[in-house]
Each structure stands twice: as C-alpha cells, then as structure tokens.
Amino acid sequence: MSKDDAITVSDVGEFGLIARVTAELTPADTTLLGPGDDAAVVRAADGRVVATTDMLIEGRHFRRDWSTANDIGHKAAARNFADIVAMGAVPTALLVGLAAPPDLELEWADGLMAGLREECGEVGAAVVGGDVAAADVITLGVTALGDLQGRNPVTLGGAHVGDVVAVAGRLGWADAGFAVLSRGFRSPVQIVAAHRRPEVPYREGPLAAELGATAMTDVSDGLIADLGHIADASGVRMELRADLVPMPMKLKEVGAALNTDPLVWVLTGGDDYALVATFPASAQLPDAWTVIGTVVEGEGVRVDGRRWPTGGHEHFR
C-alpha cells in the first residue's frame, strides 16, 4: 500500500480508533476494570495512589523523522513511570490521551500503542484508559498511577546535612544523542537510541526507599537542575565531585567527535530519567548506585566547589 493509500485515523473515526488502539491491551494484576467504561478501576491495596501526568507535543518533545511511533510510545510511558518510581512507588496503570491530525496514518497509532504496552510490560503495569481528539499536531497527555506498597513516599524535601548524593542510571546519553541527531548524523546507534528511548532504572526507586533514601527525583531536566529542586525543597546545598560522576568512554568519544565537553551533557542534559537521591552516610548502597557528592549547609548545587550553569530544560524560557 502506498503512502497515499494508507488508512488514516479519519478513515476509521473516533470510535474506530479507540477500538483499534485498545484491542491489544491486556490488564495487569492491579487492573480491576480496564478500557471500555466511563472510567477504569485500579486496585490500590496500599490505600494511597501515587499519580503523575505529563505531556508530549510533536516538534517540542519528539520528531517523527527522528523517532518511530514505537520509540515515542516507550518514551511517553517511561518518563511518567520514572516519576512514579522516584517517589519510591511501583507503577500500576497508565491513562493516555492522544490528539492527532486527521491524516495521521493508523499504522502510526498502532506503533505508538505497541510502545506503550511494551514499556508497561517492563514494570507490570497496564494501559487502562484514555481519550482521543483531533489536533493540528500529535499531542500526548499521559497519566501514570503507582502503589507505595506500604512505604512512605520519598519526596524532594527530606535531604539532611551529612547525607550522600547518589545516582542510578545513565546521565548525558540522551543529550548526546540529541546533539548527534541535530547535526544530521544517525550514529553511534547506542547514543542515538538513548535519545529515542530512555532506559529507566525502575527497580532502583522502590529499592532506594527501602534503603532509607531521604530525598529522590528523576533526572528529566538535567542533573544539576533536578538536584537543585531537592536542594531548594530541603534547604541544603549539594556538593558534587566531577571525578565521581559516571563518564562512560562512549560519551567521551562522541564529545571529542563533536568538539563538546561531555561533562556538559552529564551535568545538564535531560531525558535520561536516571534517579538521583540522598541517603544517610551509613546506608549500604548496591552497585547500581554511585555516590557523587554530599549534602552540606547552604543552598543550590556546586560542582568541585563552584557554581555550574544549570542548563537543562524549562518551559516558557
């Protein structure tokens, strides 16, 4: 079938599209009532529900010439699930709102839903509902739910002087991938893939809560920017050591090729959805966590004793 003959979302209409994108959905153990009714019902054995929501807009958060529909589905789910595990909770459900141009190929919507389902499978969650609408550009509104399983939530405001600062997951990879794609290249594949589809250290969020994490967040806007939120909420300063921050050889190689200091990507690049947390100095951290600094009196974030430009992303600026 040629592109001109491809079936579009307008060909099947609103309810045909809903039937199409929900046909392959399977419930999770926490799903009591899935798509098809006025609202879903999700088990909340803890008695508390962790909820977060996020938006992705074509041209701002993703480009269809850079990422497949499947990639975008994975990323849409991952960035929301990262918020859930950063609270020390386990993801349980996803609600997805899709606004799209009438001429969007139905095959693209299929790929998107496949990516969402596959990322849900990584954490044992399920897509339980959502909505569709027409719009000039593809826009996704995603809400994730989570279960604390009896743990207290790990917030931004609990860091104490004397704690250590530690990270789990990749830093700087997505920003390096963005730099590569922006220059018209499609390799190294591993770096480009990191921009298209994040690898979130899901299990480390609930584990950090069990290990006594005093504060935690996911790195969505950049390590310094997101650590700054913890510093502000906790009334402390984060002192980081550049030599302790993970710096893979692959980032060094790409930085050399693009004449860019890879430390900029690692400290200020977002979209990796690593986890950064503070722990009591006595905490026994597993290998997945790397200590990169300490919490001291003061405000803000310092790297090797000096201020570092925040970088990262902030809407409306």
Side-chain angles (χ1 to χ4, degrees):
M1 181 181 292
S2 70
K3 186 175 179 63
D4 290 338
D5 296 329
I7 300 173
T8 67
V9 296
S10 65
D11 291 330
V12 297
E14 176 184 356
F15 297 107
L17 177 59
I18 292 173
R20 175 87 171 214
V21 299
T22 59
E24 300 298 324
L25 298 180
T26 55
D29 292 341
T30 53
T31 307
L32 299 180
L33 182 63
D37 219 302
D38 289 324
V41 181
V42 179
R43 180 181 291 110
D46 181 89
R48 299 168 295 174
V49 176
V50 180
T52 186
T53 192
D54 200 8
M55 294 186 68
L56 292 89
I57 302 170
E58 182 181 5
R60 176 171 290 273
H61 299 101
F62 65 88
R63 287 174 47 168
R64 281 190 273 168
D65 59 330
W66 284 4
S67 302
T68 67
N70 189 274
D71 289 333
I72 295 164
H74 274 276
K75 192 170 188 176
R79 51 193 283 155
N80 278 271
F81 288 150
D83 283 332
I84 296 295
V85 300
M87 299 295 292
V90 173
T92 58
L94 209 63
L95 296 153
V96 182
L98 168 63
D103 62 354
L104 179 70
E105 295 177 11
L106 194 58
E107 184 179 15
W108 194 94
D110 291 342
L112 174 73
M113 292 306 299
L116 289 165
R117 291 195 309 270
E118 291 162 8
E119 196 68 25
C120 282
E122 295 291 324
V123 295
V127 177
V128 298
D131 192 20
V132 298
D136 292 336
V137 297
I138 299 173
T139 303
L140 295 169
V142 183
T143 296
L145 306 178
D147 181 6
L148 286 164
Q149 299 182 332
R151 294 178 289 271
N152 289 326
V154 185
T155 67
L156 297 174
H160 304 290
V161 172
D163 287 349
V164 298
V165 181
V167 296
R170 303 188 301 192
L171 293 171
W173 286 69
D175 207 30
F178 179 82
V180 169
L181 287 165
S182 296
R183 287 162 173 78
F185 302 112
R186 296 295 184 269
S187 63
V189 174
Q190 190 178 14
I191 293 291
V192 171
H195 168 76
R196 291 170 172 160
R197 188 180 301 190
E199 294 183 3
V200 183
Y202 289 124
R203 68 180 300 273
E204 299 306 323
L207 178 59
E210 294 174 1
L211 292 172
T214 54
M216 182 162 52
T217 190
D218 66 307
V219 183
S220 56
D221 296 322
L223 178 64
I224 291 179
D226 289 312
L227 260 181
H229 299 320
I230 293 180
D232 291 345
S234 300
V236 295
R237 174 183 295 172
M238 305 293 168
E239 287 282 358
L240 307 184
R241 282 178 47 186
D243 64 316
L244 296 181
V245 179
M247 179 63 70
M249 181 57 66
K250 180 65 71 174
L251 288 187
K252 294 180 181 179
E253 293 171 354
V254 175
L258 298 183
N259 195 29
T260 299
D261 181 356
L263 189 61
V264 175
W265 293 329
V266 170
L267 294 180
T268 66
D271 262 7
D272 281 302
Y273 304 98
L275 297 176
V276 61
T278 56
F279 296 89
S282 59
Q284 299 296 309
L285 302 183
D287 291 342
W289 289 90
T290 301
V291 174
I292 60 172
T294 56
V295 181
V296 300
E297 293 183 355
E299 50 83 27
V301 181
R302 301 288 186 274
V303 180
D304 294 337
R306 64 187 181 91
R307 291 181 180 272
W308 188 280
T310 301
H313 177 74
E314 182 177 350
H315 288 286
F316 310 115
R317 287 192 175 180

